[in-house]
Amino acid sequence: MTTADTVVTPVVADTGAWAAAIDVIRKPAPPYEGRFLHRDFQPGNVLFDLRSPGPAGARITGVVDWAGTSWGPVDLDVAHCATNLALLHGPAWGRRFAQAYEEAGGVLAAAASERLYWQVRDALACSEEVRSVAQPWREAGRADLTTRVVEERLDAYVSALMDGPAAATS
């Protein structure tokens, strides 16, 4: 599990944002109502049926790879998917996912600072394994996702999280 002492700050990082993010996870985890978690909830583990072209025609038909299940806060699974989307497509995608999750009826922590804790914890966990995160995506055809690109996107995502309104209250 990622701790403030195990975070690997990328060379390209906004050191101020990363220091603030590390301070977020120095605090104890916020209280949460435990739920059954996938723990690797991300686009590569979701199956879709595309009835018609475009996102509006997509329908989720399943979720695979349940090997890492656990019990914990829903925010952690949502944060993990958001981090993956940020690394795959850019920080805006990660920032939008939690909002889309709630719009679809999902329930996250009530306090923005609690949601931020889980978002930051998951993003910083990726810092320890950027190479191992980028490699499978390249093998799946995303040649653009070099280790450097993934590091830059992770930095931009962490910076965006720390620039948001929740960061000001944490």
Side-chain angles (χ1 to χ4, degrees):
M1 173 164 8
T2 300
T3 69
D5 298 325
T6 62
V7 171
V8 178
T9 305
V11 174
V12 298
D14 174 339
T15 55
W18 279 71
I22 290 168
D23 284 344
V24 167
I25 68 167
R26 284 189 198 284
K27 299 173 185 168
Y32 60 86
E33 185 175 339
R35 297 280 191 250
F36 183 70
L37 303 180
H38 185 277
R39 282 309 290 129
D40 191 18
F41 183 63
Q42 45 98 354
N45 286 333
V46 179
L47 304 176
F48 295 92
D49 179 16
L50 298 175
R51 300 269 175 197
S52 59
R59 186 174 63 89
I60 295 174
T61 58
V63 178
V64 298
D65 189 13
W66 290 88
T69 61
S70 66
W71 189 259
V74 164
D75 289 78
L76 193 51
D77 262 358
V78 172
H80 188 67
C81 191
T83 298
N84 275 272
L85 287 167
L87 300 181
L88 281 164
H89 305 292
W93 283 69
R95 296 297 306 255
R96 174 76 176 97
F97 183 70
Q99 179 183 350
Y101 176 82
E102 288 184 300
E103 288 170 0
V107 177
L108 296 173
S113 62
E114 292 173 0
R115 292 189 302 273
L116 179 68
Y117 176 88
W118 299 112
Q119 291 168 329
V120 167
R121 175 166 291 288
D122 190 81
L124 294 183
C126 283
S127 75
E128 299 171 27
E129 53 194 37
V130 169
R131 279 188 172 75
S132 63
V133 166
Q135 184 64 31
W137 290 336
R138 281 195 306 277
E139 291 171 1
R142 290 291 309 269
D144 61 311
L145 293 176
T146 64
T147 300
R148 176 70 174 212
V149 166
V150 172
E151 283 179 340
E152 288 170 353
R153 287 184 179 176
L154 180 60
D155 176 52
Y157 183 56
V158 168
S159 295
L161 289 173
M162 298 317 299
D163 284 343
T169 63
S170 62

